[in-house]
Amino acid sequence: MGRGDLTDAEWERLRPFLPVSNGRCGRWRDHRQVIDGILHRVRTGVHWRDLPERFGPWKTVYERHRLWSADGTWERLLQQVQAAADAAGEIDWDISVDSTIVRAHQHAAGARTEPPSAPAKGGRDGRTSGRNAMAEPARPAGGGGAGGEGLGRSRGGFTSKLHLSADGWCRPLSLVVTPGPRADCTQFQTVLARIRVPRVGPGRPRTKPDSVAADKGYSNGPCRAYLRRRGVRHTIPEKTDSRSARLRKGSHGGRPPGFDEERYKKRNTVERAINRLKQYRAVATRYDKRGYVFLGAATSAALLIWLRS
């Protein structure tokens, strides 16, 4: 076993949920060897063509990663690991939300503008029906130029933005990729909607946290109204200009939003989750042209964080 490869215990946690057929003929090449190759690339940021020979043909490793990023396999694996942690009571549902800028390498530019082909419906192993089935995207995102691939230009240069929620143990619960200049608050509902932790037994997946903490970038009416509709307690500081406008209106300005200073101190968990994700060089710097492939790289890094936490 090489440095960074899956241990026997980690492999046994993933093995029951892996697809058993490639949908064309025969069986997949050894999953463990290929997954180790994918994780090696995500950890080191090496060119796909420069993968060590012990992982097998680089094209096989890349195509497996691309396919699993497109059909939602990485997301399903992450959700299954989260489900086991939730069943053991090991998820702190006082979550925090934030985003981070990811510098895009020049190799991330130049994706074709036509939409990619839609992946086959259902999982490759055919196990996506039932109450615990996880939603899959109708087709991978992209095909609309740089913006469609989650790339943008700003004062920081050529960037993407990774929006995420994290539990109280600094582990990512959900991930969203957008162009770098995209405002944080525009993805708030999307990030929370991506939280979907299945039950080990019968029952619907859990999608509602106990509480949410976020910084002033999410301090607006739509974000607060969304949390109130869902009955989720939240701690979001009020912006200075919003407070001044409310005070100018006097009694018509309404009551100030509640703010729990002690709860807000726990918001550092999402910052620490970002730091853990960016230990993986293919997440800290984006090299992938397609947005869904980069999201797959970030999801596989989050999966390893959950396995090793």
Side-chain angles (χ1 to χ4, degrees):
M1 188 180 73
R3 177 173 176 264
D5 291 353
L6 292 174
T7 64
D8 292 339
E10 292 164 356
W11 166 245
E12 288 302 321
R13 293 180 66 184
L14 293 181
R15 185 174 56 82
F17 308 111
L18 293 170
V20 296
S21 172
N22 60 14
R24 295 182 295 242
C25 61
R27 299 175 64 86
W28 291 101
R29 186 182 181 90
D30 181 38
H31 276 319
R32 186 171 184 176
Q33 180 189 33
V34 173
I35 291 175
D36 284 340
I38 294 170
L39 297 179
H40 177 85
R41 185 264 175 178
V42 171
R43 180 172 57 86
T44 64
V46 69
H47 283 278
W48 288 106
R49 293 176 182 269
D50 295 331
L51 279 175
E53 292 182 359
R54 67 187 180 90
F55 299 121
W58 72 267
K59 186 72 170 178
T60 299
V61 180
Y62 167 72
E63 286 296 336
R64 188 80 54 87
H65 174 62
R66 185 193 63 80
L67 178 61
W68 285 4
S69 299
D71 67 8
T73 297
W74 284 124
E75 184 178 0
R76 288 193 295 274
L77 290 174
L78 176 61
Q79 290 173 347
Q80 292 293 349
V81 173
Q82 291 172 345
D86 188 42
E90 296 175 354
I91 295 183
D92 183 347
W93 283 98
D94 288 330
I95 73 168
S96 301
V97 178
D98 206 350
S99 69
T100 181
I101 290 291
V102 177
R103 291 298 300 270
H105 194 272
Q106 59 185 356
H107 292 169
R112 295 179 180 178
T113 56
E114 62 267 18
S117 58
K121 293 184 178 180
R124 296 307 233 184
D125 56 356
R127 298 188 305 231
T128 57
S129 59
R131 300 182 68 179
N132 286 338
M134 283 140 282
E136 296 181 23
R139 64 166 65 237
E149 299 298 345
L151 291 166
R153 293 188 181 276
S154 62
R155 288 183 296 177
F158 197 39
T159 56
S160 292
K161 183 175 281 189
L162 192 62
H163 306 259
L164 71 154
S165 62
D167 78 333
W169 296 105
C170 312
R171 299 172 296 188
L173 282 168
S174 60
L175 299 161
V176 175
V177 173
T178 66
R182 191 67 54 85
D184 292 356
C185 59
T186 62
Q187 303 303 310
F188 183 70
Q189 296 185 28
T190 304
V191 170
L192 293 183
R194 290 280 182 91
I195 298 174
R196 187 179 178 86
V197 179
R199 309 286 185 181
V200 172
R204 296 179 179 178
R206 176 162 183 174
T207 60
K208 181 179 174 181
D210 292 335
S211 68
V212 174
D215 60 20
K216 291 184 179 180
Y218 302 91
S219 180
N220 60 28
C223 290
R224 296 182 190 275
Y226 172 75
L227 293 170
R228 283 196 296 269
R229 285 197 306 270
R230 296 190 62 187
V232 178
R233 294 181 292 110
H234 58 278
T235 298
I236 304 175
E238 188 179 21
K239 292 181 179 178
T240 303
D241 57 348
S242 299
R243 180 175 181 274
S244 299
R246 177 175 54 79
L247 293 176
R248 282 198 303 269
K249 295 178 182 178
S251 59
H252 297 288
R255 294 178 298 178
F259 182 74
D260 185 346
E261 291 186 4
E262 292 301 317
R263 170 66 182 90
Y264 191 68
K265 291 178 181 179
K266 291 182 64 178
R267 197 190 67 81
N268 71 85
T269 54
V270 69
E271 305 285 355
R272 290 153 65 189
I274 290 171
N275 289 340
R276 297 177 75 177
L277 277 173
K278 286 195 169 182
Q279 296 299 311
Y280 297 86
R281 291 173 179 256
V283 179
T285 301
R286 173 175 171 175
Y287 302 101
D288 302 299
K289 295 182 185 295
R290 293 294 186 189
Y292 74 91
V293 177
F294 175 66
L295 179 59
T299 305
S300 62
L303 173 64
L304 207 57
I305 290 173
W306 277 88
L307 287 172
R308 295 179 176 177
S309 62

